[in-house]
Amino acid sequence: MDLSDHSISKASLDPAADAAAMLLRLGFALFAFATPSATLMSRWVIVILVPIGAVLIILSAMLRGDPLRIIKAFLASFRSFGGLTALFLAVWAIASLAWTPMPAVAAPKIFKAMGAIMLGTLAVEALPARMRASNLHLVTIGVGLGGILLLLAVVLDYFGSSLLRVAVATPGRTAVLLTCLCWAAAAWMMIKNRRKVAAGLIALVFGVALLGPTAEAVAPMGVGLIVFAIAWAVPERAGRWLAQVAALLVLAAPVLALIAKLVAAGLSLPPQGFIGSVGAWWDIVAYDPVRLMAGRGFDAAQAARDAGIIPPEANVTLISDIWYDLGLLGAMGLAILLFHAFRAVGRFGLEVAPLALAGLASAFCYALIERGATQTWWMNGLIVFAIVLLSVERGRYRTVRPRASLDRANAAERQGSGNLAAS
């Protein structure tokens, strides 16, 4: 047992250790158990629960040891290339307020977003080196309960019952969130050697994506299944390949928009379709090539849509808004972050990496094709996914005995039997 996690792995006579364990479990329960179900009940509940859960996890780490350890780890993260890229992206976004069309509206949004990202990063740094199995079981329960509630709401609504009436936007958001979290929950079940339960969770969420009132989660779930199949035997190699593909898709977005425009014109496709909407975005990009390099300022895309400058049929995704707001430099920063994220997840190990890559690919697919990825709830959803996934990765050491230890034990047993037979 790791001594660094001794205070949260068993009952202790230290009140601070007991309080830390309670706060950690409560904070993690908000992420893993409450959020998947509560998102179905209210559109803004995830925006409220995520900061509360993050603060509870941070407080638990402060009670466990050196309160400054989290700050030191947070500052140390900027020494890596990925950390420096994130810092540059934040500085560039703040600098773009100087030329954004509505700085009074954009400034509160950018600082709110950065505050949420910083709080989530601090919560990640505050997670213990090894998570308890009793905490991680909440992931499985939360995903299963969320999927069952969503299917129940769909069935009751089909029969005209108001027993489980939910807001219009919540089923789609819940389905997308479950599409990402189900892979983390399945990874935990794989660690526990419960493959049937893992397959059942994936099948449940796949049914949620197909039968839900919106189709937002269908493509992300399908991409996740494909990535899982590819990465099953070679997760690290698949992580390197997916890192290159994700970075290339972000950087080549204007070129892909031009191709979509040519295809839509050649086939006479309507502008309301996906290919037509992506092609319509090319007209916006080509209108001002200089702005394509530097961007038009943070939140400029939303301001342009409100003013009617961007036509309603033009494609709206996180990638298109990054290009419009922050230009090539912003797109390069996002591409580098995605590259490092896929590479890092691919190294999680055979028990976790294939499923983790599937979850990350599902999240990237949603950001690539859906408008909801530009909204506040999605950023909070990514924080939930990151904390849950990293917690599962830190829980595998408790339940999986290292292969080398088993080999040494078997060799010692065979040697002992040989010596006994010789005597």
Side-chain angles (χ1 to χ4, degrees), residues 309-324:
I309 298 174
I310 296 179
E313 67 270 11
N315 184 252
V316 179
T317 66
L318 180 63
I319 309 304
S320 67
D321 278 14
I322 286 287
W323 270 99
Y324 193 91

Side-chain angles (χ1 to χ4, degrees), residues 213-279:
T214 64
E216 296 177 63
V218 175
M221 191 66 194
V223 169
L225 289 170
I226 294 172
V227 169
F228 173 65
I230 294 173
W232 173 250
V234 285
E236 189 168 354
R237 186 185 306 173
R240 292 194 299 267
W241 179 76
L242 289 169
Q244 298 172 12
V245 171
L248 182 62
L249 285 174
V250 173
L251 294 176
V255 178
L256 296 176
L258 174 60
I259 295 173
K261 180 176 177 61
L262 296 176
V263 171
L267 300 178
S268 300
L269 298 176
Q272 292 79 14
F274 177 73
I275 295 179
S277 67
V278 174

Side-chain angles (χ1 to χ4, degrees), residues 128-380:
R130 299 184 182 182
M131 289 288 291
R132 293 186 63 185
S134 57
N135 288 335
L136 293 173
H137 283 316
L138 296 174
V139 182
T140 305
I141 299 172
V143 170
L145 180 62
I148 292 171
L149 285 177
L150 181 52
L151 287 179
L152 184 61
V154 170
V155 171
L156 291 176
D157 183 69
Y158 177 79
F159 287 103
S161 174
S162 59
L163 183 61
L164 189 58
R165 185 64 55 85
V166 295
V168 176
T170 56
R173 295 182 179 185
T174 304
V176 171
L177 185 61
L178 289 174
T179 298
C180 298
L181 291 179
C182 76
W183 298 106
W188 173 239
M189 289 294 95
M190 293 291 287
I191 290 172
K192 299 293 290 181
N193 200 25
R194 297 176 181 174
R195 299 192 174 190
K196 292 182 179 180
V197 178
L201 285 172
I202 296 173
L204 172 65
V205 177
F206 185 67
V208 166
L210 288 178
L211 302 177
T214 64
E216 296 177 63
V218 175
M221 191 66 194
V223 169
L225 289 170
I226 294 172
V227 169
F228 173 65
I230 294 173
W232 173 250
V234 285
E236 189 168 354
R237 186 185 306 173
R240 292 194 299 267
W241 179 76
L242 289 169
Q244 298 172 12
V245 171
L248 182 62
L249 285 174
V250 173
L251 294 176
V255 178
L256 296 176
L258 174 60
I259 295 173
K261 180 176 177 61
L262 296 176
V263 171
L267 300 178
S268 300
L269 298 176
Q272 292 79 14
F274 177 73
I275 295 179
S277 67
V278 174
W281 184 65
W282 165 255
D283 295 330
I284 302 167
V285 171
Y287 175 74
D288 192 347
V290 176
R291 290 291 189 181
L292 182 64
M293 303 298 294
R296 295 164 175 81
F298 186 82
D299 201 45
Q302 184 60 48
R305 285 191 289 268
D306 293 340
I309 298 174
I310 296 179
E313 67 270 11
N315 184 252
V316 179
T317 66
L318 180 63
I319 309 304
S320 67
D321 278 14
I322 286 287
W323 270 99
Y324 193 91
D325 293 352
L326 304 180
L328 176 62
L329 291 177
M332 289 178 61
L334 179 61
I336 293 172
L337 290 178
L338 285 169
F339 182 85
H340 282 275
F342 276 103
R343 287 287 299 271
V345 169
R347 301 190 187 104
F348 275 2
L350 290 175
E351 303 94 351
V352 179
L355 293 143
L357 284 172
L360 187 57
S362 298
F364 175 67
C365 176
Y366 182 76
L368 197 64
I369 65 174
E370 292 290 345
R371 180 172 185 168
T374 63
Q375 299 171 354
T376 304
W377 76 269
W378 176 242
M379 181 179 298
N380 287 272

